[in-house]
Amino acid sequence: MIDMIDDEGTLTGYAVDRFGHAAHAQVLGGFMQDIDHEALYEAIGEYGLQAVAEQYLRTLIGDGTLHADEEAAYAAEREILEADPHAAPEVHAVTVADLADEFTRLGLTEPATSCGS
């Protein structure tokens, strides 16, 4: 099994945007389209944002949606360019923090309570 922890000790997966047009936020949004948001909200409530984001990233890597290492992502990028020299693929690193931010942006976490509540 390939180690998915990068040199900084961060779990990272790598997406290859075939056409190079997608912003990082669009790449992340693409991973959220087919998931059950209610189930994810409940899981975050039970296990915590960090744990769920980490498990989801591991799942994306495990099912081949993301590459487990940067080298494999750049190899895929080269294959795309060899097949279509007019393509402009781009590699996007995806971390647990990225997914946690996306879950938060989508409102899948409990709202923060103020000190006065």
Side-chain angles (χ1 to χ4, degrees):
M1 178 172 178
I2 296 173
D3 186 16
M4 299 175 278
I5 307 297
D6 68 11
D7 293 338
E8 289 84 40
T10 304
L11 177 63
T12 305
Y14 299 88
V16 180
D17 171 18
R18 178 175 205 80
F19 302 105
H21 299 291
H24 193 66
Q26 291 171 308
V27 171
L28 293 173
F31 303 136
M32 304 299 145
Q33 291 179 353
D34 297 326
I35 61 171
D36 180 347
H37 286 200
E38 183 63 31
L40 198 55
Y41 176 84
E42 291 173 9
I44 290 169
E46 184 170 343
Y47 301 106
L49 180 60
Q50 180 79 17
V52 172
E54 182 175 329
Q55 183 56 45
Y56 191 58
L57 182 56
R58 289 182 184 281
T59 299
L60 290 171
I61 293 168
D63 72 8
T65 301
L66 294 175
H67 294 277
D69 61 46
E70 195 171 14
E71 190 175 305
Y74 282 108
E77 180 185 58
R78 284 189 300 276
E79 289 175 14
I80 291 168
L81 285 171
E82 288 172 5
D84 180 2
H86 301 290
E90 182 177 348
V91 173
H92 295 267
V94 178
T95 65
V96 171
D98 291 330
L99 292 176
D101 288 347
E102 185 67 9
F103 294 160
T104 302
R105 187 190 71 75
L106 291 171
L108 300 176
T109 60
E110 289 291 326
T113 56
S114 67
C115 294
S117 301

